[in-house]
DNA sequence: GCGAATGAAAA
DNA sequence: TTTTCATTCGC
């Protein structure tokens, strides 16, 4: 089913095999709403990967799988030892699936950089159960990788010391040890290649608000033509307001300056004075000397780490943080969505929203999602998410609207819970949550719900630093739709816990 | 080769 | 703690 195409034979994504999809947990009520499996279109030849060259980290395991076992079985027998790629992690798997599923059509967003950003946002908002499935799969991949390449050890190459590293190349090669046993890598041995030091982002990602908007649309279930339309409207409205951003897309050359300006402008607009971050974090301010390479979006780290980290480990040049993201509205009923293919062993899974299908996102669902959210008046800002209303989906929300919504007062926050959005801000600490709350961004704030999610601690990503976590539905923004969600959340959490019990601990 | 994202793993 | 690299592919 997921048979790799020749071009794929060097990748591990190719190892996905429907037959290997776990036949487990499959809790009867497995609720998954955002699961992209990899409906690989084998008829579509894949382009050669541009993936980074193995550097010197290629590894010929001491007792590798036989060459035929190697992913590069195509390579000539006399070929130098093949690079063994690392096993993909959960997000990489998710991203691949996300892309393959065409969740965001190329006509909407052709840039894979942006797609990655969107995937990242989506990932951050993924329900724990969904993430669990991906983590489980990643774990399987790791295990398979281990079996295949028993001698493999990840040997990252030190690129930071560009010249010295070359001088140090013996050391590098040494550490690569097994990897260079074939003396294969171009940089191996005497092949001094000035390795550029690790790149650092010099420009902010293009049109972050737009990416966030797309993610939020996806999370509301939009797909196909509806998604196109919604995004087109979004773009159009921004244009009408003279708010660029979209102009940098669709083939238009993006110069760093242009992107900086576009993103800065977007940031400026998106961040109203009321929600602007503290003065210490001025947009476009200093570049951090040691750039925190990225924010930790979904990983909830230990309290210690979070306490030591700044409130916004944003990009070095732009202070656009995920705190600035629009809210995601989960305005649908999980039960209306198809079950996870992983749990269902569904080999021919298409992502629930009918990727690429020019139809309503709700096609395939008998009933328009009827979540408890529907009982509440949708936020004007989230009108695009008003899946409950009808099949005609208003997508009038703008980044500014969403920003406005961010400024709305929030309800008391339960310290027990955090949300993907707060995770986006890389925080698990209460202080950061407070920060989020100041921004009005994020934590849905229903009254304290005595939900003890400690049983989900088996999910490594939600570590002990957090007393518990919320399913992503906790993203109301004080829009008046929060309180009544308790029951819904409780039931969800209970179900999730049930599911979690079946998960292998990571 | 870079960019985007997150996460595993090594340094 | 920091860095690399796993994925993708247009530029």
């Amino acid at each position: 089913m997921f048979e790799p195409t020749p071009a794929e034979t060097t990748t591990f994504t190719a190892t996905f095999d429907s037959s290997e999809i776990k036949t487990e947990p499959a809790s009867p009520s497995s609720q998954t709403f955002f699961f992209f499996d990899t409906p690989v279109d084998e008829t579509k030849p894949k382009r050669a990967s541009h993936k980074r060259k193995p550097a010197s980290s290629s590894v010929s395991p001491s007792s590798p799988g036989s060459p035929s076992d190697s992913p590069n079985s195509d390579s000539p027998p006399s070929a130098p030892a093949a690079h063994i790629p690392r096993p993909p992690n959960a997000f990489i798997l998710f991203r691949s699936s996300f892309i393959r599923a065409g969740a965001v059509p190329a006509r909407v967003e052709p840039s894979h950089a942006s797609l990655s950003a969107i995937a990242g946002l989506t990932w951050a908002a993924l329900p724990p159960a969904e993430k669990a499935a991906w983590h489980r799969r990643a774990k399987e991949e790791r295990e398979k990788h281990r079996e295949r390449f028993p001698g493999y050890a990840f040997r990252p190459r030190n690129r930071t010391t560009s010249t010295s590293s070359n001088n140090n190349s013996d050391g590098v090669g040494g550490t690569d040890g097994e990897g260079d046993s074939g003396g294969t890598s171009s940089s191996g041995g005497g092949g001094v290649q000035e390795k550029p030091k690790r790149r650092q982002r010099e420009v902010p990602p293009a049109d972050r608000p737009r990416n966030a908007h797309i993610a939020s649309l996806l999370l509301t279930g939009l797909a196909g033509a509806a998604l196109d339309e919604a995004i087109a409207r979004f773009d159009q409205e921004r244009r009408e307001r003279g708010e660029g951003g979209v102009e940098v897309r669709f083939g238009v050359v993006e110069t760093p300056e242009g992107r900086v300006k576009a993103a800065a402008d977007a940031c400026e607009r998106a961040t109203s004075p009321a929600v602007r971050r503290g003065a210490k974090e001025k947009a476009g301010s200093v570049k951090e000397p040691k750039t925190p390479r990225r924010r930790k979006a979904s990983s909830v780290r230990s309290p210690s780490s979070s306490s030591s980290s700044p409130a916004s480990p944003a990009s070095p040049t732009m202070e656009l943080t995920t705190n600035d993201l629009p809210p995601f509205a989960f305005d649908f009923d999980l039960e209306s969505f198809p079950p996870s293919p992983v749990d269902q062993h569904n080999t021919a899974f298409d992502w629930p929203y009918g990727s690429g299908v020019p139809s309503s996102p709700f096609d395939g669902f008998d009933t328009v999602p009827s979540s408890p959210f529907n009982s509440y008046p949708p936020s004007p800002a989230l009108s695009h998410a008003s899946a409950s209303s009808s099949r005609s989906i208003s997508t009038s929300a703008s980044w500014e609207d969403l920003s406005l919504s961010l400024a709305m007062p929030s309800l008391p926050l339960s310290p027990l819970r955090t949300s993907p959005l707060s995770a986006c801000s890389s925080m698990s600490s209460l202080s950061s949550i407070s920060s989020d709350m100041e921004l009005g961004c994020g934590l849905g704030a229903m009254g304290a719900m005595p939900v003890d999610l400690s049983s989900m601690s088996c999910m490594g990503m939600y570590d002990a630093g957090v007393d518990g976590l919320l399913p992503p539905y906790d993203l109301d923004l004080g829009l008046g739709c929060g309180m009544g969600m308790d029951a819904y959340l409780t039931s969800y959490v209970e179900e999730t816990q049930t599911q979690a019990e079946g998960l292998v601990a990571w």
Side-chain angles (χ1 to χ4, degrees):
Chain A
M1 179 59 65
F2 296 108
E3 193 172 359
T5 66
E8 282 181 310
T9 50
T10 57
T11 73
F12 274 91
T13 50
T15 64
F16 287 150
D17 185 337
S18 58
S19 66
E20 292 171 337
I21 292 180
K22 274 298 173 262
T23 62
E24 57 168 287
S27 103
S29 59
S30 58
Q31 298 175 342
T32 65
F33 75 93
F34 214 98
F35 195 101
F36 308 87
D37 206 335
T38 48
V40 178
D41 182 2
E42 287 134 35
T43 68
K44 187 163 54 181
K46 278 187 61 180
R47 298 174 54 92
S49 172
H50 285 215
K51 74 181 169 193
R52 200 161 284 128
K53 286 295 180 290
S56 63
S57 64
S58 32
V59 171
S60 61
S62 52
S63 58
S66 64
S68 62
D69 195 24
S70 145
N72 271 4
S73 53
D74 285 353
S75 52
S78 62
H83 167 66
I84 298 177
R86 307 179 67 186
N89 65 35
F91 173 74
I92 294 297
L93 293 176
F94 170 79
R95 183 203 177 278
S96 293
S97 186
F98 184 92
I99 303 297
R100 280 182 175 171
V104 179
R107 62 183 175 277
V108 167
E109 180 50 75
S111 161
H112 274 255
S114 290
L115 290 174
S116 286
I118 295 167
L121 294 170
T122 307
W123 172 260
L126 221 53
E130 288 291 342
K131 274 189 178 176
W134 289 106
H135 278 276
R136 192 171 60 225
R137 205 142 114 176
K139 188 186 176 192
E140 293 168 9
E141 287 300 314
R142 284 197 300 275
E143 288 169 352
K144 281 193 289 185
H145 190 275
R146 242 193 310 273
E147 290 175 10
R148 242 168 142 175
F149 310 105
Y152 172 85
F154 174 50
R155 303 285 184 201
R157 185 162 176 271
N158 184 7
R159 307 165 80 113
T160 54
T161 53
S162 56
T163 54
S164 60
S165 82
N166 288 329
N167 301 337
N168 205 5
S169 61
D170 54 348
V172 173
T175 50
D176 283 341
E178 45 189 358
D180 284 347
S181 60
T184 67
S185 87
S186 55
S187 65
V192 179
Q193 250 187 3
E194 273 111 62
K195 271 325 213 176
K197 67 174 56 169
R198 176 169 178 76
R199 61 183 185 274
Q200 297 176 349
R201 190 164 73 191
E202 297 175 352
V203 297
D207 212 350
R208 204 158 178 167
R210 185 176 187 267
N211 292 343
H213 186 74
I214 293 173
S216 68
L217 292 172
L218 284 172
L219 288 163
T220 65
L222 281 182
L227 179 65
D228 289 4
E229 185 185 349
I231 296 171
R233 196 171 313 172
F234 176 77
D235 292 343
Q236 175 65 24
E237 290 178 357
R238 295 172 81 196
R239 270 195 301 271
E240 288 173 355
R241 275 192 289 268
E243 301 158 358
V246 286
E247 288 81 359
V248 302
R249 321 210 64 73
F250 299 119
V252 176
V253 174
E254 298 178 10
T255 66
E257 296 78 12
R259 291 176 58 182
V260 168
K261 183 177 188 311
D265 291 345
C267 178
E268 194 65 22
R269 288 187 301 273
T271 316
S272 73
V275 297
R276 189 175 294 281
R277 299 192 73 81
K280 60 180 178 181
E281 295 179 11
K282 285 209 172 64
S285 69
V286 288
K287 201 186 292 186
E288 300 187 31
K290 283 290 185 180
T291 50
R293 191 164 60 81
R294 62 183 177 222
R295 68 184 187 284
K296 304 292 283 186
S298 69
S299 74
V300 181
R301 295 302 186 190
S302 67
S304 59
S305 66
S306 62
S307 61
S308 62
S309 55
S312 172
S315 67
T317 53
M318 284 295 302
E319 299 300 332
L320 258 181
T321 75
T322 43
N323 283 333
D324 298 317
L325 296 179
F328 296 129
F330 296 83
D331 201 3
F332 42 75
D333 184 353
L334 293 179
E335 295 182 0
S336 299
F337 284 78
S340 160
V342 163
D343 292 336
Q344 291 285 311
H345 329 131
N346 183 350
T347 60
F349 177 77
D350 289 319
W351 90 293
Y353 313 123
S355 68
V357 178
S359 61
S360 158
F362 306 116
D363 281 353
F365 305 106
D366 290 340
T367 59
V368 170
S370 60
S371 80
F373 296 48
N374 295 344
S375 320
Y376 301 91
S379 158
L382 299 179
S383 58
H384 67 283
S386 301
S388 61
S389 56
S390 72
R391 295 170 91 82
S392 70
I393 297 166
S394 164
T395 55
S396 62
S398 69
W399 173 247
E400 288 66 27
D401 291 335
L402 296 169
S403 297
L404 276 179
S405 77
L406 296 180
M408 296 182 69
S410 296
L411 298 170
L413 170 69
S414 163
L416 278 179
R417 293 165 285 149
T418 182
S419 74
L421 265 192
S422 72
C424 275
S425 64
S426 81
M427 298 304 114
S428 61
S429 68
L430 293 182
S431 62
S432 68
I433 290 175
S434 299
S435 171
D436 282 347
M437 293 302 289
E438 287 172 9
L439 288 169
C441 177
L443 300 183
M446 291 68 79
M449 181 175 66
V451 176
D452 177 15
L453 293 174
S454 57
S455 68
M456 294 177 64
S457 60
C458 65
M459 298 178 166
M461 56 191 167
Y462 305 109
D463 64 22
V466 189
D467 294 323
L469 71 149
L470 261 190
Y473 320 100
D474 186 20
L475 295 178
D476 85 286
L477 297 161
L479 302 176
C481 58
M483 298 301 293
M485 287 196 286
D486 275 8
Y488 183 66
L489 290 171
T490 302
S491 68
Y492 172 83
V493 166
E494 287 172 355
E495 299 233 29
T496 303
Q497 286 177 308
T498 301
Q499 290 181 349
E501 288 173 4
L503 298 177
V504 180
W506 290 318

